[in-house]
Amino acid sequence: MSGHHHHDDTEVHEHDRGLSYDLPVLARRRMIRLLAGASLVPLVGCSSDDGDSASSASSSGSSSGGSSSGSTSSGSAECSVIPNETAGPYPGDGSNGVNVLKESGVVRSDITKSFGDSAGGTAEGVPLTITLTVVDAASGCGTPKEGAAVYLWHCDRDGNYSLYSEGVTEENYLRGVQETDDKGQVTFKSIFPACYTGRWPHIHFEVYGSLEDATAATSITNTSQLAFPKDVCDTVYATDGYSRSVSNLGQLSLETDNIFSDGYDQQLATVKGSVDAGYTATLTVPV
């Protein structure tokens, strides 16, 4: 069945935007950070730590049981807006023709099943609960953004994206919208995504100012991606159904991924749990 898989090197670089698209994006981000560093030095103290030390804290949090996902919420000296990334080729937000955001049923917490008039399939895989905490960067990341909205999506266990990939074009699973609560949080019940050719395991999300904006597919405020620690990926991909992810992950690292290679300290989730009990992934999202 490998012939239906749509993430070979050629397609990743063309349709997942790849280096040809992302290098200009990364260059712009580096320039923005340099300019911010020149004028707002007291506010970007965390930038000197780079990805290694911050990501190590996240990884240790996942293994020790400590809560380290909110590394950007301890004060203004460590607070900066989460990096903006490409939405990739399969957003389903209307930007490239397919729009799931205006469909009744997209506002939901359980995204494992398709909804509406689609095929009604269910995404199989190791259970994963994703909690994002949206906070106000301008206030030092101490103020939750209540009433904002998050649209979240990712690939399935085979590396395919609903609405787009061959065999699942009639499905819309692993896509959903939630409104943030008084803690600025949204929670999605999902499955652990695959590692497909050319990309580190990740989850896409867009932040909107309100639920009304999200379901109207307008006024995106931030677009970013969440990354997973390698040790957790290794454990998950050793289970049934993820065999293709093993070899794909073996060819990658966070440092060489075309999205996370310029720094991933703000995007590496804290992951806890087990294959049998399921995993939880948490990330603080300053906007």
Side-chain angles (χ1 to χ4, degrees):
M1 296 292 289
S2 61
H4 75 283
H5 199 266
H6 288 278
H7 301 293
D8 56 48
D9 287 329
T10 301
E11 186 159 356
V12 166
H13 285 280
E14 179 181 358
H15 297 298
D16 209 3
R17 307 296 174 88
L19 291 176
S20 62
Y21 177 87
D22 290 307
L23 283 177
V25 174
L26 301 180
R28 289 195 297 272
R29 282 169 48 190
R30 291 192 182 99
M31 181 60 69
I32 291 171
R33 289 171 180 174
L34 286 173
L35 292 175
S39 58
L40 299 173
V41 172
L43 299 180
V44 292
C46 64
S47 63
S48 63
D49 293 334
D50 275 342
D52 291 341
S53 59
S55 63
S56 297
S58 294
S59 296
S60 63
S62 65
S63 59
S64 66
S67 177
S68 60
S69 63
S71 61
T72 58
S73 61
S74 59
S76 60
E78 297 181 357
C79 180
S80 58
V81 174
I82 195 163
N84 276 305
E85 309 287 8
T86 172
Y90 312 121
D93 61 0
S95 59
N96 64 356
V98 182
N99 193 341
V100 74
L101 293 176
K102 294 185 177 181
E103 294 186 18
S104 176
V106 73
V107 180
R108 59 197 185 134
S109 59
D110 186 343
I111 61 175
T112 57
K113 299 177 177 63
S114 291
F115 64 90
D117 297 327
S118 61
T122 299
E124 302 293 338
V126 172
L128 175 69
T129 300
I130 308 144
T131 297
L132 303 182
T133 302
V134 183
V135 297
D136 181 23
S139 68
C141 293
T143 304
K145 296 281 285 186
E146 181 180 4
V150 175
Y151 168 42
L152 180 145
W153 72 99
H154 62 83
C155 71
D156 62 20
R157 186 170 62 179
D158 294 318
N160 295 318
Y161 284 84
S162 66
L163 300 176
Y164 295 89
S165 300
E166 183 179 346
V168 293
T169 56
E170 299 301 316
E171 305 290 354
N172 55 28
Y173 55 50
L174 306 182
R175 299 177 183 276
V177 175
Q178 284 278 292
E179 183 178 32
T180 57
D181 60 17
D182 57 355
K183 297 179 181 179
Q185 293 184 339
V186 293
T187 297
F188 295 91
K189 176 185 176 183
S190 191
I191 58 101
F192 206 95
C195 176
Y196 55 79
T197 304
R199 280 304 318 278
W200 188 261
H202 62 283
I203 287 177
H204 296 267
F205 60 90
E206 293 171 344
V207 181
Y208 292 79
S210 67
L211 188 61
E212 290 74 19
D213 285 346
T215 53
T218 186
S219 303
I220 300 170
T221 61
N222 301 84
T223 301
S224 196
Q225 298 181 26
L226 172 156
F228 291 94
K230 183 180 186 301
D231 59 344
V232 178
C233 295
D234 287 335
T235 300
V236 172
Y237 295 158
T239 64
D240 291 342
Y242 286 96
S243 58
R244 279 182 285 185
S245 293
V246 175
S247 58
N248 290 334
L249 186 69
Q251 302 172 38
L252 298 166
S253 71
L254 278 162
E255 289 77 17
T256 60
D257 181 75
N258 61 25
I259 294 296
F260 301 122
S261 59
D262 69 331
Y264 49 84
D265 55 315
Q266 286 187 275
Q267 295 161 286
L268 187 65
T270 294
V271 181
K272 303 176 183 178
S274 66
V275 169
D276 292 335
Y279 287 93
T280 61
T282 57
L283 186 72
T284 299
V285 181
V287 299

